Amino acid sequence: MRAIRTQFFLSFAVMGSLVPLLSVFLWEEAHFSRLQIGLAMALTSLPMLFSPALITLLADRQVDSRRILALAFVISGLVLTGMYFSQSAVLTMGLFIFHGLAFVAMIPLQDGFYFSYAGMQRNAGHDVPPYPLVRVFGTLGFILPSLILFFLIERKAGSSAIVPLAVSFCVLSICNSFFLPKLQGHQVMEATPAGKKRKLPTTEALAVLFSPEGRYLAIGLALAYTAAGGYYAFISLYLRQEVGIPRSTIGLIICTGVVIEVIFTLNMPRIHRWLRLKGILVLGLALMSLRMFLIAFFPVPWLVVTIQAVHGMEVMALYIAPIMFLDRLAGDRFRNSIQGVWTMAIGGGSRVAGCAAAGFIAEYWGLNWLLIFGGCLTFGAMTVVALMFKPIRPREDGGPASQFEPPAAVIHGPEGTA
């Protein structure tokens, strides 16, 4: 499990190197317009429409997930290196597509890898730390690059320092992938009844995802991911231009919320007992909408820092609770594929649309209106989830789908301590 935790840490460190200052880098050093920034972010997300499902399908077909991860990080590192030396806006935007092609499948593949490994260990009678206590290492990995970049930029490095830092974490991720445990073949295969044709895991995952149990969550979070795509594409540029935050401090402010996210993630089982799955989703989306509205109408530094306190609940609603709910829906044959299909069908299309729309709104209406637009979309998402979504109960067999309420010994034992 140590290597899986490390993989989460390093892969999120790649994102933590790029995300907080990417729009500032594109504006100040690549000389992109706001519309070009939005299109570049949309191009990064474009491969989400097919790459995650394809790669997680390979994982469910028993192609070694460790080698898929290693190859993806190799491609991502090479593309980022090319982006660093590029002098052409067209070439840079083209490279964003290849970076997205390699990188967007990594997170759902890692999620599927964890759930498959956890099921395998439980079948063998071993305790496994629940998903939030593994996912939290990704949160810690996201924080580290902002600390490094603060000192680099304070010592006169430009915002372009984000690229070599991301490449460094790509290299470390490649190395760590060779220490990941091997999954057993029986973990991803189920018996097929006699006389029935075996379906593709991706087809089964799609059918389950848009079944009555999953479709309203999919609709609600599609709206929320559209809003989040625009928000995360431009929030660093908003802080720089509208709030007047120094570029060296932007990453630290964003990571203030990420630190709080660690606290929420570690207490996810307890919060779930209080609020249940639907409560987490509704409250998280409500706070996400409130944050966008407040920052849009009151662009002052103290509020920007204070409102980061809601980030932990927002992340649980967008990225943790849905992943664990998907595992309730999944069968063993498509445990990887349902994560990839979700990223493709819900996350991918929403992010492409959200980033492209955000670029248009930011260019012609302004960054404040972009946040207002995102706040309205998120409020709509909250309404859909609150009124239409009815969660299914966790499985009673103690399998991976029951991880919202793990035994106390699993949480507090040596292997479950973050």
Side-chain angles (χ1 to χ4, degrees):
M1 188 58 70
R2 181 178 301 168
I4 296 177
R5 288 168 167 162
T6 303
Q7 194 65 43
F8 272 82
F9 181 92
L10 294 173
S11 63
F12 276 79
V14 177
M15 288 193 294
S17 301
L18 296 172
V19 170
L21 283 174
L22 185 56
S23 61
V24 174
F25 162 66
L26 292 175
W27 176 269
E28 293 184 346
E29 301 200 29
H31 307 296
F32 276 32
S33 68
R34 291 175 180 176
L35 180 58
Q36 287 176 317
I37 292 173
L39 292 176
M41 300 297 189
L43 289 174
T44 302
S45 302
L46 188 62
M48 293 177 74
L49 298 176
F50 59 89
S51 176
L54 173 62
I55 293 179
T56 51
L57 171 62
L58 293 176
D60 278 328
R61 285 298 192 185
Q62 303 188 70
V63 178
D64 195 332
S65 299
R66 300 172 299 174
R67 304 294 83 85
I68 300 173
L69 278 170
L71 179 60
F73 279 109
V74 168
I75 295 173
S76 185
L78 291 174
V79 169
L80 287 171
T81 301
M83 194 181 300
Y84 182 75
F85 291 105
S86 171
Q87 300 296 317
S88 165
V90 174
L91 176 59
T92 300
M93 293 182 76
L95 290 172
F96 267 99
I97 298 178
F98 289 98
H99 170 62
L101 180 65
F103 199 78
V104 296
M106 295 176 190
I107 303 306
L109 182 59
Q110 288 178 169
D111 290 335
F113 189 96
Y114 161 78
F115 285 118
S116 295
Y117 179 76
M120 183 178 72
Q121 291 296 100
R122 287 191 176 89
N123 289 340
H126 302 303
D127 286 338
V128 179
Y131 176 74
L133 296 188
V134 176
R135 169 62 168 74
V136 73
F137 281 82
T139 305
L140 297 174
F142 190 92
I143 295 170
L144 177 61
S146 289
L147 300 175
I148 297 172
L149 287 167
F150 173 78
F151 292 105
L152 291 177
I153 295 175
E154 282 291 297
R155 285 163 175 74
K156 308 305 179 185
S159 54
S160 60
I162 65 175
V163 180
L165 186 60
V167 172
S168 300
F169 283 113
C170 282
V171 173
L172 293 174
S173 296
I174 295 167
C175 296
N176 185 74
S177 69
F178 290 93
F179 294 94
L180 292 170
K182 183 175 176 58
L183 299 179
Q184 299 297 323
H186 69 266
Q187 184 62 26
V188 296
M189 299 301 291
E190 286 178 343
T192 303
K196 286 193 175 182
K197 185 178 180 181
R198 186 183 295 275
K199 298 179 180 178
L200 281 173
T202 303
T203 304
E204 294 180 77
L206 272 171
V208 170
L209 183 59
F210 291 103
S211 66
E213 291 82 6
R215 67 171 63 126
Y216 292 111
L217 179 65
I219 293 170
L221 288 186
L223 294 174
Y225 289 151
T226 301
Y231 177 85
Y232 290 115
F234 282 96
I235 186 58
S236 60
L237 192 62
Y238 182 83
L239 296 180
R240 184 80 179 103
Q241 294 186 343
E242 303 295 329
V243 187
I245 303 295
R247 68 171 67 88
S248 62
T249 313
I250 290 173
L252 295 181
I253 290 177
I254 292 174
C255 283
T256 301
V258 181
V259 171
I260 297 172
E261 176 189 333
V262 175
I263 300 172
F264 277 85
T265 305
L266 291 175
N267 286 279
M268 177 72 169
R270 186 175 293 109
I271 294 171
H272 178 259
R273 285 194 291 271
W274 294 338
L275 298 178
R276 313 308 297 172
L277 174 64
K278 187 169 181 176
I280 291 171
L281 290 164
V282 172
L283 180 58
L285 293 172
L287 292 174
M288 177 180 170
S289 179
L290 177 66
R291 172 160 72 161
M292 291 186 186
F293 284 133
L294 286 177
I295 294 176
F297 289 115
F298 305 101
V300 292
W302 69 266
L303 178 61
V304 168
V305 175
T306 304
I307 203 64
Q308 295 298 316
V310 309
H311 180 76
M313 201 70 203
E314 175 186 324
V315 167
M316 286 206 301
L318 288 180
Y319 303 115
I320 298 180
I323 296 304
M324 299 179 73
F325 177 74
L326 292 178
D327 197 61
R328 294 185 187 180
L329 294 175
D332 285 339
R333 286 195 63 251
F334 55 94
R335 197 164 302 286
N336 286 292
S337 286
I338 199 169
Q339 305 292 344
V341 166
W342 173 267
T343 303
M344 174 192 71
I346 308 304
S350 301
R351 283 181 59 87
V352 170
C355 292
F360 182 85
I361 294 171
E363 180 74 21
Y364 297 106
W365 289 5
L367 293 169
N368 294 80
W369 279 104
L370 168 60
L371 292 175
I372 294 171
F373 173 73
C376 291
L377 279 180
T378 310
F379 185 82
M382 179 202 69
T383 303
V384 171
V385 172
L387 299 181
M388 306 297 293
F389 174 58
K390 293 179 174 58
I392 61 174
R393 294 179 60 82
R395 283 161 35 185
E396 301 294 335
D397 60 1
S402 304
Q403 291 182 52
F404 274 121
E405 300 181 4
V410 176
I411 298 177
H412 302 294
E415 192 57 23
T417 304

